[in-house]
Amino acid sequence: MEELQTFMGTVRIYVDGRVQPFKAVPLPLRSRCFSVDMRWLLRVKAPENRPCHIACLLELEQGLKQESFVETGERLALISFVSEGRKLSLSTIGDVPQRKYLYPENGLEVILNDEAEEEVYFVAAGKMMLQGEDGIETWLAADVDSILAGGSMDCR
């Protein structure tokens, strides 16, 4: 697959500036912590040359107005987009040594200097509960620990 269609636009992965095919794996949409409209794991093969740049970018639907903001956490690199009461979050595993994380206004980029054979990104999207609310559900649905634990983390 070379693109993932969302309500905000198209998600593509670029390796060193070129569109790269990726494997998209659907993830559960609901747990005790969240309920979202879409949730995907995207796997892309990393090239052998280092350093390399791997970016997961959102190409917005024409005319759609949105705002973006970074929402990082422990072991989490995440950027979110909000438009018309809906939120979309793109994330990857954060705090990895020998990696640099960049946040262009339309996505998330990782500069790999390690020996990783692939990079993984997560996409989660849904309606915000209240206008202006922080949209915690998409954050939890895109949280690395939640995904690695099968979406069964303790929500408190």
Side-chain angles (χ1 to χ4, degrees):
M1 166 179 287
E2 289 191 0
E3 60 185 41
L4 178 68
Q5 295 298 322
T6 75
F7 63 87
M8 277 192 200
T10 304
V11 174
R12 289 192 176 90
I13 295 181
Y14 294 82
V15 175
D16 292 329
R18 291 184 297 275
V19 173
Q20 185 72 24
F22 57 87
K23 181 178 180 182
V25 180
L27 296 172
L29 300 177
R30 292 173 187 18
S31 82
R32 292 188 337 247
C33 302
F34 59 81
S35 175
V36 293
D37 299 328
M38 70 177 304
R39 190 167 175 246
W40 293 86
L41 164 67
L42 310 180
R43 295 182 177 277
V44 63
K45 185 175 175 6
E48 292 181 13
N49 63 311
R50 296 294 192 273
C52 69
H53 296 245
I54 302 180
C56 184
L57 303 178
L58 173 63
E59 297 171 11
L60 287 174
E61 290 290 326
Q62 191 169 4
L64 186 67
K65 293 186 188 332
Q66 58 82 30
E67 65 176 283
S68 64
F69 45 93
V70 175
E71 296 185 275
T72 61
E74 189 174 323
R75 293 179 16 100
L76 179 67
L78 185 142
I79 188 168
S80 290
F81 306 88
V82 175
S83 179
E84 300 174 0
R86 300 183 85 186
K87 183 176 179 183
L88 183 139
S89 298
L90 303 175
S91 69
T92 191
I93 300 167
D95 302 324
V96 177
Q98 299 184 3
R99 292 185 180 193
K100 184 175 181 180
Y101 300 88
L102 305 174
Y103 298 92
E105 66 181 37
N106 65 329
L108 174 59
E109 181 175 351
V110 179
I111 301 174
L112 298 179
N113 283 305
D114 57 11
E115 300 295 320
E117 294 181 8
E118 74 173 2
E119 179 65 7
V120 295
Y121 288 97
F122 309 99
V123 178
K127 293 179 184 173
M128 294 182 70
M129 301 302 279
L130 298 171
Q131 194 68 5
E133 189 174 283
D134 68 354
I136 192 73
E137 291 195 11
T138 60
W139 191 91
L140 285 171
D143 180 57
V144 173
D145 288 328
S146 170
I147 293 165
L148 296 177
S152 61
M153 64 188 277
D154 180 20
C155 303
R156 293 180 204 170

